[in-house]
């Protein structure tokens, strides 16, 4: 892997292959994510989504091919991964150099996610949605060039999930990192993304722009047509019969 500024791109993946033993997981896969672009990655379980994310994080190597990512990249996982023994504001700036004004920096980030009043709280007192908002503040306080989202809403209840989706859309539009969202939820992908990739049999089988006006809401003929196209590519139902949006 090469770590570089990648010019106007947040990610450049060129012809990568990843094998575990004799089993190929990714096969001659290529994709790009521009700075300021929000990309969603869909795929069935076992399709290689998590492996690709780990490669972009530098946690996995590739068997062949080239990966270019920026130096400053952060991640929000399905679990908030807050340190229980540290107050909320310290969790926001964890891993950053100790300096004067760190608390003020953390509070500004918490203000963006609506949790300024919880700066001195302990993580154990937060709800699941609040903990995920802290994780988002921790990711964005570093002003990343690339933000990786690994199913960050999957463990949340439906209402909290909708609120978090709206918050992520707002903050990513404000901070303008390149974003790669890994999700099983087709409707979530259409709701948030500028472009959606479908990962199938180790390759990108579909790369489609989502040219719907923002702010978006679930439903409507154009939204439904895109949802059905992605579901069809994933092999889950067809436009002729109702299906679950989650795959």
């Amino acid at each position: 892997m090469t770590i570089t500024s990648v010019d106007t791109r947040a990610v450049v993946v060129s012809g990568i292959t990843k094998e575990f033993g004799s089993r190929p997981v990714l096969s001659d896969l290529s994709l790009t994510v521009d700075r300021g672009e929000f990309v969603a990655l869909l795929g069935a379980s076992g399709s290689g989504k998590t492996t690709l994310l780990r490669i972009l994080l530098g946690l996995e190597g590739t068997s062949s091919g080239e990966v270019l990512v920026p130096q400053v990249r952060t991640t929000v996982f399905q679990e908030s991964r807050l340190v229980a023994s540290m107050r909320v504001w310290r969790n926001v700036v964890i891993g950053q150099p100790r300096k004067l004004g760190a608390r003020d920096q953390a509070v500004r980030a918490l203000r963006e996610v609506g949790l300024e009043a919880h700066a001195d709280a302990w993580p154990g007192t937060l709800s699941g949605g609040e903990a995920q908002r802290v994780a988002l503040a921790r990711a964005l306080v570093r002003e990343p060039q690339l933000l990786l989202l690994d199913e960050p809403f999957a463990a949340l209840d439906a209402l909290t999930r909708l609120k978090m989706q709206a918050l992520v859309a707002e903050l990513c539009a404000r901070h303008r990192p390149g974003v790669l969202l890994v999700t099983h939820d087709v409707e979530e992908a259409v709701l948030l993304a500028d472009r959606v990739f479908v990962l199938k049999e180790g390759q990108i089988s579909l790369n489609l722009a989502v040219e719907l006006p923002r702010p978006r809401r679930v439903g409507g003929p154009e939204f439904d047509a895109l949802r059905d196209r992605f579901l069809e590519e994933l092999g889950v139902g067809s436009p002729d019969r109702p299906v679950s949006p989650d795959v």
Side-chain angles (χ1 to χ4, degrees), residues 184-205:
H184 282 90
D185 189 329
V186 175
E187 289 189 345
E188 181 172 271
V190 179
L191 185 68
L192 294 176
D194 301 309
R195 212 161 29 117
V196 177
F197 294 122
V198 174
L199 183 57
K200 191 174 179 181
E201 297 179 355
Q203 295 183 322
I204 301 299
S205 66

Side-chain angles (χ1 to χ4, degrees), residues 152-185:
F153 318 121
L156 303 177
D157 64 80
L159 181 59
T160 303
R161 185 171 185 164
L162 289 173
K163 291 178 179 178
M164 280 295 296
Q165 288 169 343
L167 179 63
V168 164
E170 175 190 342
L171 292 180
C172 288
R174 184 183 306 167
H175 288 266
R176 302 292 293 168
V179 181
L180 182 62
L181 167 68
V182 171
T183 180
H184 282 90
D185 189 329

Side-chain angles (χ1 to χ4, degrees), residues 24-29 41-49 52 197-206 229-236:
V25 178
L26 302 175
S27 178
D28 194 28
L29 183 147
L41 180 66
L42 291 168
S45 296
S47 62
K49 300 188 305 298
L52 177 60
F197 294 122
V198 174
L199 183 57
K200 191 174 179 181
E201 297 179 355
Q203 295 183 322
I204 301 299
S205 66
L206 183 63
R229 176 68 184 90
F230 294 125
L231 286 168
E232 183 180 18
E233 183 67 21
L234 289 160
V236 183

Side-chain angles (χ1 to χ4, degrees), residues 12-16 27-32 66 197 202-204 207:
V12 178
V13 174
S14 302
I16 66 168
S27 178
D28 194 28
L29 183 147
S30 297
L31 62 82
T32 62
E66 184 177 42
F197 294 122
Q203 295 183 322
I204 301 299
N207 172 3

Side-chain angles (χ1 to χ4, degrees), residues 39-163:
V39 171
L41 180 66
L42 291 168
S45 296
S47 62
K49 300 188 305 298
T50 298
T51 298
L52 177 60
L53 203 70
R54 287 178 60 82
I55 288 170
L56 297 179
L57 283 168
L59 301 176
E60 293 275 0
T62 62
S63 303
S64 62
E66 184 177 42
V67 179
L68 303 177
V69 291
Q71 188 73 48
V72 184
R73 57 200 192 279
T74 56
T75 314
V76 179
F77 297 97
Q78 184 173 333
E79 310 84 20
S80 63
R81 302 193 180 189
L82 303 182
V83 179
S85 60
M86 300 176 68
R87 294 191 186 272
V88 163
W89 77 265
R90 290 192 179 277
N91 268 278
V92 172
V93 291
I94 191 171
Q96 299 213 89
R98 289 182 176 270
K99 61 182 180 180
L100 292 175
R103 189 181 190 283
D104 291 340
Q105 182 186 31
V107 170
R108 284 194 298 272
L110 288 167
R111 186 179 302 130
E112 283 198 302
V113 299
L115 289 177
E116 178 183 5
H118 292 70
D120 291 310
W122 296 104
T125 67
L126 303 177
S127 68
E130 288 169 341
Q132 282 299 81
R133 281 191 276 162
V134 174
L136 181 61
R138 181 179 58 196
L140 291 175
V141 77
R142 292 159 174 76
E143 292 295 341
Q145 297 160 313
L146 173 62
L147 175 62
L148 301 168
L149 302 174
D150 187 10
E151 300 190 61
F153 318 121
L156 303 177
D157 64 80
L159 181 59
T160 303
R161 185 171 185 164
L162 289 173
K163 291 178 179 178

